[in-house]
C-alpha cells in the first residue's frame, strides 16, 4: 500500500519555533508587585500559571480580554505598572530556534506550509511570522 504524498506541513509557533519560559514574566512582575507575597517570583509564578488555579487559565480560554486580565493581575498583586508597560513584560519572552527555522525555510516552495498558534493576542510576533513564511 502506498502512502499519499505530503501536501501540507503545519508547525506550532510557541515552544516549537519560538521557545519561551514563562518564569521570566514572574521574575519581572515580582519586582513591581506591592503585595509582599508576590514579591517572591515562585509564588507569583504559581498564582499566574498553576495548571488548575492559575489566573492565566481564564485568559487562555478567551474568557477575559488582555486589558481585563491585566486589570485583575494589577489589582490582586498590586502592580505599579500601566498596561503599556505590562505588555512587553508579558509578551517579549520568545527566542527563535534557529535550527527549526532553518528546517522550515528549507521546506518553503516544496510543500504548503502552515503556522498554528494559541499565543495570546497581546503577543507581538507578527513580524517573525511574516519573515519565516
Amino acid at each position: 500500500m502506498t502512502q499519499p504524498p505530503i501536501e501540507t506541513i503545519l508547525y506550532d509557533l510557541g515552544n516549537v519555533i519560538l521557545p519561551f519560559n514563562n518564569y521570566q514574566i514572574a521574575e519581572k512582575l515580582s519586582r513591581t508587585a506591592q503585595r509582599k507575597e508576590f514579591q517572591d517570583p515562585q509564588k507569583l509564578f504559581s498564582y499566574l500559571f498553576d495548571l488548575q488555579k492559575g489566573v492565566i487559565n481564564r485568559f487562555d480560554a478567551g474568557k477575559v480580554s488582555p486589558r481585563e486580565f491585566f486589570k485583575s493581575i494589577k489589582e490582586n498583586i498590586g502592580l505599579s505598572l500601566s498596561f503599556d508597560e505590562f505588555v512587553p513584560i508579558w509578551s517579549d519572552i520568545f527566542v527563535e530556534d534557529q535550527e527549526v527555522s532553518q528546517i522550515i525555510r528549507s521546506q518553503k516552495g516544496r510543500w504548503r506550509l502552515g503556522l498554528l498558534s494559541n499565543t495570546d493576542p497581546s503577543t507581538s510576533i507578527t513580524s517573525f511570522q511574516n519573515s519565516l513564511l
Side-chain angles (χ1 to χ4, degrees):
M1 176 177 226
T2 62
Q3 284 205 265
I6 296 173
E7 294 181 22
T8 304
I9 299 173
L10 299 175
Y11 286 94
D12 182 24
L13 191 61
N15 269 340
V16 175
I17 301 170
L18 298 178
F20 65 91
N21 179 346
N22 284 331
Y23 194 78
Q24 63 185 310
I25 295 170
E27 288 177 324
K28 292 175 185 175
L29 291 179
S30 68
R31 296 180 203 137
T32 69
Q34 301 201 356
R35 286 190 54 196
K36 188 161 179 64
E37 69 182 288
F38 293 121
Q39 292 171 359
D40 176 348
Q42 185 60 48
K43 288 183 180 174
L44 183 52
F45 182 81
S46 290
Y47 168 75
L48 293 169
F49 298 106
D50 182 81
L51 291 175
Q52 279 77 41
K53 299 182 290 181
V55 295
I56 187 74
N57 298 335
R58 287 181 40 79
F59 182 53
D60 280 349
K63 294 181 179 178
V64 294
S65 71
R67 287 193 183 271
E68 291 168 326
F69 178 65
F70 166 72
K71 184 180 178 199
S72 171
I73 292 173
K74 182 173 180 153
E75 291 171 0
N76 287 315
I77 68 175
L79 284 182
S80 58
L81 296 173
S82 68
F83 180 74
D84 290 336
E85 293 168 318
F86 170 78
V87 169
I89 291 172
W90 188 261
S91 63
D92 290 345
I93 60 171
F94 299 93
V95 179
E96 182 179 357
D97 183 322
Q98 294 293 328
E99 290 180 31
V100 172
S101 293
Q102 188 56 39
I103 291 168
I104 295 169
R105 285 186 183 98
S106 74
Q107 296 171 340
K108 191 174 182 178
R110 295 172 60 194
W111 293 285
R112 190 169 51 182
L113 303 176
L115 182 65
L116 300 173
S117 180
N118 63 342
T119 306
D120 73 71
S122 61
T123 304
S124 55
I125 53 177
T126 306
S127 62
F128 171 78
Q129 293 171 353
N130 292 336
S131 73
L132 185 61
L133 303 175

